[in-house]
Amino acid sequence: DQQVKQNSPSLSVQEGRISILNCDYTNSMFDYFLWYKKYPAEGPTFLISISSIKDKNEDGRFTVFLNKSAKHLSLHIVPSQPGDSAVYFCAASAGETSGSRLTFGEGTQLTVNP
Amino acid sequence: NAGVMQNPRHLVRRRGQEARLRCSPMKGHSHVYWYRQLPEEGLKFMVYLQKENIIDESGMPKERFSAEFPKEGPSILRIQQVVRGDSAAYFCASSLFQGQETQYFGPGTRLLVL
């Protein structure tokens, strides 16, 4: 039972354009969502998070949008840079009810072309 | 200003041997999580520990796997009698609190079972 799904295994964009990565979830108990970036042979690096009481959070070039009714979140990167090329993981937690363990999607490989 | 540290970074074991993976959380963090990433998959939760206590081990196989986080020293993930299917990347994460709290990941230990 895949509770967090990233349906696009890969995404390719041009440098300077917007990258939009999508994530869907099924568990209505999830109340905290995070995006991580991962390079090969390294651990995931935290990018940005959002609580279920918000619908948008912005940090520099990164913005996360949460649509609770659709159980959908997205990460926007503007402008995209070649250094953003990596695998992006969406993760969710149910806070107190699950002891904070994260449930991850399968990841989306983002390639930003110069 | 050290982040989460894991060692060894790479570990090769023959079938039937034991593997010991160590994790030192970020300074001041008392919550430790272990995740496993099998080839071509996302990260899967294994176990959540606080100092001297296992809080949630629902993701850990019932046999051969154990984890501890002693009062002094790093957290240890121990795999006894390893099999080829244990080959994976094992990531440790830590957080300051539980609940809606960001988890920061270490670089991982890549275990290869021959």
Side-chain angles (χ1 to χ4, degrees):
Chain A
D1 176 27
Q2 189 68 26
Q3 297 185 59
V4 177
K5 285 187 72 65
Q6 294 176 255
N7 290 314
S8 298
S10 63
L11 174 68
S12 183
V13 300
Q14 285 300 120
E15 181 178 5
R17 306 293 292 269
I18 184 171
S19 295
I20 300 176
L21 296 103
N22 293 302
C23 179
D24 297 295
Y25 62 96
T26 58
N27 188 343
S28 57
M29 299 301 292
F30 287 147
D31 60 4
Y32 190 58
F33 304 88
L34 309 92
W35 284 94
Y36 288 87
K37 176 170 76 171
K38 187 179 181 303
Y39 294 116
E42 294 185 12
T45 300
F46 170 72
L47 280 175
I48 192 168
S49 62
I50 187 166
S51 165
S52 59
I53 63 173
K54 295 185 175 181
D55 55 18
K56 177 183 174 181
N57 189 26
E58 190 172 353
D59 183 1
R61 296 187 298 116
F62 302 94
T63 302
V64 56
F65 295 92
L66 175 63
N67 182 334
K68 282 180 294 185
S69 61
K71 292 190 174 69
H72 176 84
L73 65 155
S74 61
L75 175 68
H76 292 210
I77 307 173
V78 179
S80 301
Q81 300 172 353
D84 295 330
S85 297
V87 177
Y88 288 76
F89 289 99
C90 166
S93 76
E96 298 294 332
T97 62
S98 72
S100 310
R101 67 175 179 267
L102 295 178
T103 301
F104 282 83
E106 307 93 326
T108 296
Q109 171 70 57
L110 173 66
T111 302
V112 180
N113 300 303
Chain B
N1 191 25
V4 178
M5 297 187 347
Q6 291 187 249
N7 66 81
R9 295 290 306 272
H10 300 274
L11 183 60
V12 179
R13 286 286 178 267
R14 297 193 179 280
R15 280 178 296 170
Q17 291 184 320
E18 178 180 290
R20 281 178 162 256
L21 288 63
R22 287 177 290 278
C23 168
S24 296
M26 286 180 71
K27 187 175 181 181
H29 287 193
S30 59
H31 301 261
V32 166
Y33 312 80
W34 286 92
Y35 295 84
R36 177 167 67 175
Q37 184 181 26
L38 294 169
E40 308 302 323
E41 294 188 13
L43 284 77
K44 298 279 194 281
F45 168 79
M46 297 182 74
V47 62
Y48 162 39
L49 311 101
Q50 293 180 30
K51 282 286 186 182
E52 301 185 275
N53 290 303
I54 297 175
I55 306 302
D56 179 2
E57 56 182 348
S58 59
M60 201 149 70
K62 294 284 187 285
E63 298 182 357
R64 303 187 298 107
F65 286 73
S66 62
E68 62 177 11
F69 188 15
K71 186 176 179 181
E72 302 291 337
S75 175
I76 306 284
L77 179 68
R78 183 181 176 207
I79 312 172
Q80 295 178 290
Q81 300 172 2
V82 296
V83 300
R84 289 215 173 110
D86 297 332
S87 296
Y90 292 81
F91 294 99
C92 169
S94 72
S95 67
L96 191 55
F97 304 111
Q98 71 169 27
Q100 293 192 352
E101 190 70 20
T102 298
Q103 294 179 23
Y104 295 92
F105 283 79
T109 294
R110 277 137 192 93
L111 172 65
L112 175 62
V113 179
L114 301 176

